[in-house]
Amino acid sequence: GEDVEQSLFLSVREGDSSVINCTYTDSSSTYLYWYKQEPGAGLQLLTYIFSNMDMKQDQRLTVLLNKKDKHLSLRIADTQTGDSAIYFCAESIRGGSYIPTFGRGTSLIVHP
Amino acid sequence: ETGVTQSPTHLIKTRGQQVTLRCSSQSGHNTVSWYQQALGQGPQFIFQYYREEENGRGNFPPRFSGLQFPNYSSELNVNALELDDSALYLCASSLATGTSVKETQYFGPGTRLLVL
C-alpha cells in the first residue's frame, strides 16, 4: 500500500473549518509536512511538525499528530475561497536525508 | 515566492527525444532535489544533488540524469523520452550543513513536459 494516504476530495462552505486527514506508515518518520499546490503552480510549504510534537498552530492552521495511530491532520479555520487547492501530506525520516514522501493530495473545494 | 526558479515553464517533445530542464536554487541553499509529478499524483523523488554530487536517488531509470553546478543551480536531463514522462517536474532547494540536511525544502513552480 501507499506510504502516505489521504482522501482525494473535500468540499466545504466558505467560513467553515476544513479538516484534511492523512495516515502514514513509517514509524521512524521524523518530520511531517503539509504542502499546498494551487492550479498550475509548484508546492508551497504551509507548515511542518516534528514527530515529538502533538500539535502546532500557525494563524488559521492547526496541525495535529497522533503518533500511535500514525495520523496527521490539518485544520484550516474560517476557510476562504483562496484556500481552494490541493493539499499534500508528506513524511520524511532523518536517515533518508529528509527526502519527503508525498501522498496523492487532497483537493479542497471551497464554495460560497 | 520561494526564490527557486525553473525554466522553461512548458515544453513539448516527441518520443525518443532528449530534454534538459533547469533550476536555480534559493539564495544560500546548497542542495537541490528533483521530483516528477504525474497528473493526479503526488511528487515522486527522482534524485538529490549536494555539492555537485548525487546524494540519493529514487526509483527512476538511468536515462534520468542530473548535474549541479558550483553556483548550486541544477539541470535534469531525460534521454529517450517516453509518453509516460509527461509530467510536471519540480525542483526543490534546501540547505545542508556537514552531514545534516535541513528539513525544509522550497519548491520552484515546475516545468510542465508533454511528450507526444
Side-chain angles (χ1 to χ4, degrees):
Chain A
E2 295 286 330
D3 293 329
V4 179
E5 291 193 5
Q6 305 176 237
S7 53
L8 294 182
F9 298 99
L10 177 65
S11 178
V12 300
R13 187 176 299 176
E14 191 174 17
D16 288 350
S17 291
S18 307
V19 180
I20 303 172
N21 295 300
C22 168
T23 56
Y24 59 97
T25 56
D26 196 330
S27 58
S28 58
S29 294
T30 305
Y31 298 99
L32 294 126
Y33 312 82
W34 284 104
Y35 283 86
K36 176 183 180 183
Q37 187 176 37
E38 297 185 64
L43 272 68
Q44 173 194 353
L45 177 65
L46 286 178
T47 187
Y48 64 92
I49 189 169
F50 298 105
S51 58
N52 61 358
M53 297 168 64
D54 297 323
M55 185 183 90
K56 181 177 181 181
Q57 188 155 1
D58 183 2
Q59 299 182 338
R60 292 191 297 124
L61 305 178
T62 303
V63 178
L64 295 178
L65 175 60
N66 181 329
K67 279 195 73 175
K68 176 176 169 290
D69 295 337
K70 299 193 185 77
H71 182 267
L72 183 74
S73 69
L74 173 69
R75 178 176 180 271
I76 305 173
D78 186 25
T79 313
Q80 302 297 307
T81 55
D83 295 324
S84 294
I86 301 175
Y87 290 80
F88 290 93
C89 170
E91 62 169 354
S92 69
I93 59 175
R94 185 183 180 89
S97 298
Y98 299 114
I99 293 171
T101 299
F102 289 85
R104 291 184 62 184
T106 298
S107 184
L108 174 64
I109 300 164
V110 182
H111 54 89
Chain B
E1 291 287 327
T2 62
V4 179
T5 60
Q6 293 186 243
S7 62
T9 55
H10 297 82
L11 202 51
I12 300 175
K13 291 285 189 178
T14 55
R15 274 186 305 173
Q17 284 189 312
Q18 179 265 344
V19 69
T20 298
L21 309 182
R22 295 178 175 83
C23 171
S24 291
S25 305
Q26 184 177 93
S27 178
H29 284 182
N30 57 12
T31 302
V32 174
S33 303
W34 285 92
Y35 295 82
Q36 180 195 65
Q37 186 181 14
L39 200 61
Q41 303 293 321
Q44 298 291 313
F45 174 67
I46 302 175
F47 44 56
Q48 182 182 81
Y49 277 82
Y50 168 63
R51 290 188 175 176
E52 302 176 54
E53 291 193 2
E54 191 176 286
N55 185 43
R57 189 178 184 94
N59 189 25
F60 280 81
R63 59 190 185 82
F64 285 77
S65 63
L67 282 173
Q68 186 181 31
F69 299 100
N71 66 355
Y72 304 128
S73 65
S74 177
E75 285 181 356
L76 164 65
N77 298 291
V78 187
N79 293 323
L81 283 166
E82 300 176 0
L83 297 181
D84 286 349
D85 295 334
S86 296
L88 180 68
Y89 287 85
L90 295 164
C91 158
S93 75
S94 54
L95 176 65
T97 54
T99 57
S100 170
V101 178
K102 280 286 189 181
E103 67 280 4
T104 305
Q105 295 193 339
Y106 294 90
F107 283 80
T111 293
R112 192 163 296 280
L113 173 65
L114 177 61
V115 182
L116 301 175

